[in-house]
Amino acid sequence: MKKGFSAAAGCFLCELVAVGVGAGTNSLYTAPICNDLGISRTGYSFSVTVIYLVNMLVYMLFPLLMRRVPLRGIFALGLLSETAAFLIYSRVSSATTLYLGAAFLGAGLVLLGSVPITAVIKSWYPDRQGSAFGIVLSGSGIGGAALIPLAGMLMDAYGWRTAAMCSAGLMVLAAVPCLLTVRENKQAGKEDRPESQRINGRGLLALLLVYSFLTGASIQPTYLSIAAHLSEYGVSAKGASTVLSVICLCSLFVKILLGVVSDRFGPYPVAACSHIGFILAILTLVFFTDCLPAFELFFAFGCVPLALVLPLLSSHFFNKSAARALSLCMAFQTAGIALGVLLTGRLYDMLSSYNGAFLLLGGVNLAAFALVSALFLIHHHRRSVSK
């Protein structure tokens, strides 16, 4: 069990650094890089698109990668890739080098993300996966709350190139404890659930992939538009950043809470709570924008499918091949994010407001809720028939 705890701690560190620094600080570089190098905002936005495209490519290749590279090697590649990304950012001189750094960052985020972490946690904690996932994935919340402000202070004091160099150094520091502790339990899998208690098949996977696409197309595009929406109601940039930080902190505790709920009652109540939270968050954001504390709490529940729900569902429905199923789900979720971001921007241009886009995204999330409910109804029906 001590080795399992060490492995979980290594995964937690990866979440804290990879998401807290790798994903969390990216938007801080937008204005300084564009202003210093004369790159347009559209050009910088394309670098974000590059991150998503590389995400999808690596997710699709992940099953092949896991057959050929040990998990510790995958984590090493991820840390090396993110280190290279920030070293490139610190030396960016043109749009081309910016896109190159984005490509390395996109690969690193996947190689240090939920797919390899799922393989590690599932092997060490077969009976308490929800709690373990919740605690490990909360590292992203701690990283976002602590490291984003730190990067901002470094940027203000020493410039964005120095901040990028410090981020690369942080990756190197995290590599040593991570690679010493992250390992897979080779004895795992001997007590897998009987075949009669699992659903397998292409039909189930297809439904799960559609669900992943719908969650991606609704949740992340909403998150990326919160600050811009609040600015239309007179909320300052500092106030909007506070809202995002509070969401980050609340989601930390929500992940742990819902992880415990999953261990006791299964993953469906987790998904249901999350989708209900997202829909309430949308209604609050559109019709009761002044009620920001309520919105922050609702959205903390609503953003959980981006991190916790998909690993739990993949493990529940595809016990022996959870990591492979999750890699495909994450690829489809990333595709949904890319489409949702474009759709949100287009609707804003048409309506001069985010309200219409938010209501549409709430409807998309409601469709995802209906689909995951149908998945569990099919699950219980097949189990009852098999008995």
Side-chain angles (χ1 to χ4, degrees):
M1 184 54 66
K2 183 181 291 187
K3 291 182 178 179
F5 177 82
S6 298
C11 292
F12 177 88
L13 181 61
C14 283
E15 275 288 297
L16 189 149
V17 175
V19 180
V21 177
T25 64
N26 186 266
S27 62
L28 297 178
Y29 291 90
T30 305
I33 287 180
C34 291
N35 293 336
D36 289 356
L37 302 180
I39 298 173
S40 68
R41 295 301 173 95
T42 301
Y44 193 91
S45 297
F46 184 74
S47 72
V48 180
T49 302
V50 170
I51 293 175
Y52 286 136
L53 290 174
V54 174
N55 279 172
M56 286 187 284
L57 177 62
V58 178
Y59 278 132
M60 296 299 291
L61 295 176
F62 225 102
L64 177 64
L65 185 66
M66 290 189 68
R67 286 197 296 267
R68 297 177 178 272
V69 181
L71 276 172
R72 188 173 293 179
I74 291 175
F75 280 95
L77 287 173
L79 287 163
L80 182 62
S81 183
E82 285 211 24
T83 302
F86 281 101
L87 288 176
I88 293 171
Y89 278 144
S90 71
R91 293 291 182 267
V92 165
S93 58
S94 65
T96 301
T97 49
L98 176 64
Y99 301 152
L100 179 63
F104 276 99
L105 181 59
L109 289 172
V110 176
L111 295 169
L112 294 172
S114 57
V115 178
I117 286 175
T118 295
V120 173
I121 296 302
K122 183 177 179 297
S123 70
W124 285 106
Y125 298 92
D127 299 321
R128 291 178 293 158
Q129 291 179 38
S131 300
F133 279 136
I135 293 171
V136 168
L137 296 176
S138 69
S140 61
I142 296 175
L147 299 177
I148 294 176
L150 176 61
M153 288 188 289
L154 288 172
M155 205 170 288
D156 289 339
Y158 303 105
W160 58 273
R161 294 187 187 274
T162 300
M165 285 289 292
C166 291
S167 295
L170 189 59
M171 299 294 170
V172 175
L173 290 176
V176 175
C178 170
L179 298 180
L180 287 176
T181 57
V182 171
R183 66 185 69 186
E184 190 175 11
N185 182 5
K186 299 300 183 181
Q187 302 301 313
K190 293 185 176 181
E191 298 180 359
D192 283 337
R193 286 177 290 171
E195 193 71 27
S196 61
Q197 296 183 22
R198 295 187 291 113
I199 297 181
N200 250 319
R202 295 181 180 178
L204 172 69
L205 181 59
L207 293 175
L208 200 57
L209 293 180
V210 174
Y211 170 78
S212 303
F213 181 87
L214 294 175
T215 57
S218 56
I219 300 171
Q220 187 69 0
T222 301
Y223 180 80
L224 294 173
S225 303
I226 291 171
H229 174 75
L230 293 178
S231 68
E232 297 177 357
Y233 287 82
V235 179
S236 65
K238 182 179 179 181
S241 65
T242 300
V243 171
L244 298 179
S245 296
V246 171
I247 290 173
C248 206
L249 285 173
C250 289
S251 67
L252 186 161
F253 298 104
V254 168
K255 288 174 187 174
I256 296 174
L257 171 65
L258 293 185
V260 175
V261 169
S262 177
D263 286 341
R264 186 172 179 83
F265 302 106
Y268 178 71
V270 176
C273 287
S274 181
H275 289 293
I276 292 171
F278 182 85
I279 293 166
L280 290 175
I282 288 292
L283 295 176
T284 304
L285 190 62
V286 173
F287 298 108
F288 308 99
T289 306
D290 293 335
C291 300
L292 291 179
F295 165 73
E296 291 162 351
L297 181 60
F298 289 145
F299 198 86
F301 278 88
C303 66
V304 168
L306 291 175
L308 181 62
V309 171
L310 287 184
L312 291 176
L313 294 180
S314 299
S315 181
H316 181 79
F317 291 122
F318 298 92
N319 188 39
K320 292 182 178 179
S321 55
R324 294 191 182 105
L326 180 60
S327 64
L328 293 173
C329 289
M330 294 300 293
F332 272 72
Q333 188 180 74
T334 305
I337 292 172
L339 180 62
V341 169
L342 292 174
L343 180 62
T344 302
R346 179 60 177 165
L347 286 173
Y348 179 83
D349 290 338
M350 293 172 58
L351 304 174
S352 299
S353 171
Y354 284 104
N355 287 337
F358 288 154
L359 290 174
L360 177 61
L361 296 179
V364 172
N365 197 269
L366 180 61
F369 183 23
L371 183 58
V372 77
S373 300
L375 280 170
F376 278 93
L377 286 175
I378 295 171
H379 178 207
H380 290 303
H381 175 71
R382 290 190 179 180
R383 286 186 63 181
S384 62
V385 170
S386 65
K387 292 178 181 179

